[in-house]
Amino acid sequence: MKIMSAGPTSVSKRVINAYHKPITNSDLDKNYVIFHREVEKKYSKLLKTNCTSFIMLGEAMLGLDGACASIMEKDDKVLVITNGIFGKGFFDFAKMYGANPTLFEGDLREGININDLREFLKDNHDFKCATLVHCETPSGISNDIKAICNLLNEYGIISIVDSVSGVLGEYIDFDDFKIDCLIGGTQKCISAPPGLTLITLSEKCKNYILSRNDIPSFYSNFKNYIAKGEDFSFPYTMNDSLVYALDEALNEISESDFVNKHKSFAEKTRKGLIDSGLELYPRSYHANTVTTFLLPKNVDSSTILDKMMDRGFIISASFGHLSNIAIRIGHMGNNISKENEKDFIDMLINLQAVLEECNVSLKDKIYKYFI
Ligand SMILES: *Cc1c(COP(=O)(O)O)cnc(C)c1O
């Protein structure tokens, strides 16, 4: 089965081989601890920062939960900036930790409008922190986190950015973007096995979290992961195999022009779909990592997915308001690596055939920009 979904993505042989290295005792093996810290630094470097990154053992939802647990306190005013399903999800997290969230809702088919947000903040900026999503994976929209975080920073509002499906496939300069807390995952563009969350904190945000003594969590408490010198110990046994895999995935990423490759696949995918007469869900701010298009009314996504599965390809449908009416193509991470490029094109060729089988009339070849 060829995995071409919008995450989890496929994992390269190199990364799988690294995963199968002999395991160690991650608590007692001093060399492991040194290695672990170096992987965290390697990741920070890819985000162009010297700020602290740390690895949490747990799938990326743990990072979203952890950011809310570690930054939000009871009755804190939190701005939830949203134009999609993951964005809105932060509202519930904020409530769970006793905070007082306010929604700033953008158009679901557009990126967050920075002028509207600027106008809103002029009269309403008494927020401790704001949450936002870099790439809304269900809709395929990538928000301008540089503009948004810089604006939040002007008001001293701590920014919490979910970039689980954006990180490294979209351009990020952590310092220049003025991000305070960036949440990444390993199972999307990074294409390591699922199971780890990557957190990067600005100095300001890190110091604030370290100053807190009342974080109501153990597993989600960022304080337990921030190394404070030589005597650092993990809050629980690390899964070193996953970290070996992550390290190799980061090595692979540094060897290619990763962001531009994503941009190019995304553009060719979009152009092919548009020329064929299909309608993209986003009207602007298209993501580099995932493309979402709408199906004609008489076709549902589960039929397309089943037929693609019969042909050996896993692609994604969507969910929430897009459930059953959209298809997503995950041109991210290892799905579009050199060794899988041909499979990616094959997937588009098969998708063309499946859509036509379902009586979707296509005006052109959706894969035409790839051949
Ligand atoms: C994938 C993803 C997550 C993590 O969610 P899972 O469904 O557990 O993989 C969080 N945020 C975004 C934007 C994502 O794309």
Side-chain angles (χ1 to χ4, degrees):
M1 199 63 78
K2 304 277 188 326
I3 305 170
M4 295 290 165
S5 52
T9 51
S10 62
V11 175
S12 74
K13 292 192 186 74
R14 253 174 87 172
V15 171
I16 288 294
N17 286 341
Y19 180 81
H20 286 295
K21 269 173 44 175
I23 65 163
T24 184
N25 181 319
S26 55
D27 292 320
L28 300 180
D29 183 343
K30 291 200 168 61
N31 286 329
Y32 176 77
V33 179
I34 293 169
F35 162 78
H36 188 99
R37 293 292 160 226
E38 273 167 7
V39 179
E40 292 172 337
K41 289 206 183 90
K42 195 178 280 182
Y43 175 67
S44 283
K45 222 176 126 195
L46 288 167
L47 300 171
K48 300 170 185 61
T49 182
N50 292 321
C51 283
T52 305
S53 292
F54 55 85
I55 301 166
M56 300 172 87
L57 178 54
E59 190 279 330
M61 292 309 291
L62 176 64
L64 308 191
D65 186 59
C68 297
S70 304
I71 297 171
M72 297 174 189
E73 290 176 68
K74 195 169 173 326
D75 299 328
D76 274 348
K77 290 182 78 179
V78 173
L79 182 62
V80 175
I81 302 171
T82 168
N83 56 338
I85 295 163
F86 281 101
K88 205 156 185 181
F90 272 114
F91 189 87
D92 298 326
F93 270 125
K95 285 231 145 169
M96 195 161 66
Y97 288 104
N100 174 15
T102 300
L103 281 175
F104 176 86
E105 291 187 271
D107 189 317
L108 294 174
R109 298 185 74 168
E110 303 270 354
I112 291 293
N113 184 310
I114 192 74
N115 293 326
D116 291 352
L117 182 63
R118 188 177 286 114
E119 280 307 307
F120 172 84
L121 285 171
K122 269 185 189 150
D123 302 320
N124 313 274
H125 47 256
D126 179 21
F127 296 104
K128 173 195 196 167
C129 61
T131 62
L132 61 142
V133 174
H134 188 185
C135 172
E136 267 292 354
T137 332
S139 56
I141 290 172
S142 182
N143 285 308
D144 183 354
I145 58 169
K146 177 180 180 177
I148 299 170
C149 293
N150 270 275
L151 181 57
L152 293 169
N153 189 263
E154 284 174 29
Y155 290 102
I157 301 170
I158 297 172
S159 55
I160 300 174
V161 182
D162 170 355
S163 184
V164 175
S165 66
V167 87
L168 304 187
E170 301 278 356
Y171 179 76
I172 299 178
D173 181 326
F174 184 83
D175 298 333
D176 182 45
F177 286 17
K178 295 199 166 35
I179 303 166
D180 286 308
C181 171
L182 184 77
I183 305 152
T186 55
Q187 81 275 30
K188 304 274 167 83
C189 303
I190 295 177
S191 290
L196 300 175
T197 297
L198 302 167
I199 302 293
T200 309
L201 299 176
S202 68
E203 276 302 296
K204 175 178 97 174
C205 189
K206 182 175 87 174
N207 290 332
Y208 169 67
I209 291 168
L210 288 175
S211 76
R212 280 190 67 183
N213 287 316
D214 56 346
I215 296 174
S217 178
F218 174 79
Y219 223 93
S220 284
N221 183 344
F222 285 178
K223 272 177 91 163
N224 292 333
Y225 300 82
I226 300 171
K228 283 158 283 186
E230 292 296 302
D231 59 347
F232 175 81
S233 59
F234 299 116
Y236 44 71
T237 304
M238 259 297 151
N239 182 328
D240 50 327
S241 303
L242 284 174
V243 181
Y244 298 138
L246 169 63
D247 180 53
E248 195 55 29
L250 296 179
N251 290 340
E252 254 189 309
I253 289 169
S254 355
E255 290 161 16
S256 73
D257 189 0
F258 206 63
V259 172
N260 281 325
K261 187 170 70 178
H262 281 77
K263 198 178 271 175
S264 149
F265 270 72
E267 277 169 9
K268 290 188 211 168
T269 301
R270 287 198 300 270
K271 277 165 66 181
L273 292 168
I274 293 168
D275 286 3
S276 302
L278 291 162
E279 185 184 358
L280 302 184
Y281 182 70
R283 295 207 175 95
S284 63
Y285 291 84
H286 302 282
N288 275 350
T289 58
V290 53
T291 293
T292 304
F293 68 91
L294 294 168
L295 288 167
K297 290 221 163 26
N298 52 341
V299 190
D300 62 36
S301 59
S302 56
T303 312
I304 306 287
L305 258 54
D306 289 349
K307 284 178 179 286
M308 285 300 282
M309 197 91 88
D310 291 343
R311 289 165 177 259
F313 296 94
I314 298 184
I315 59 168
S316 302
S318 194
F319 43 94
H321 61 286
L322 290 172
S323 135
N324 228 2
I325 62 169
I327 293 289
R328 291 184 298 157
I329 298 172
H331 31 73
M332 60 168 85
N334 192 58
N335 294 2
I336 57 167
S337 69
K338 264 220 146 49
E339 70 185 37
N340 290 333
E341 212 162 295
K342 195 183 156 297
D343 288 341
F344 184 84
I345 299 166
D346 264 357
M347 178 274 291
L348 291 178
I349 292 171
N350 278 279
L351 181 58
Q352 176 102 19
V354 163
L355 287 167
E356 283 168 351
E357 251 174 60
C358 294
N359 299 319
V360 178
S361 62
L362 297 171
K363 290 191 286 197
D364 211 331
K365 304 288 181 213
I366 57 179
Y367 49 88
K368 80 175 200 198
Y369 292 98
F370 287 97
I371 50 174

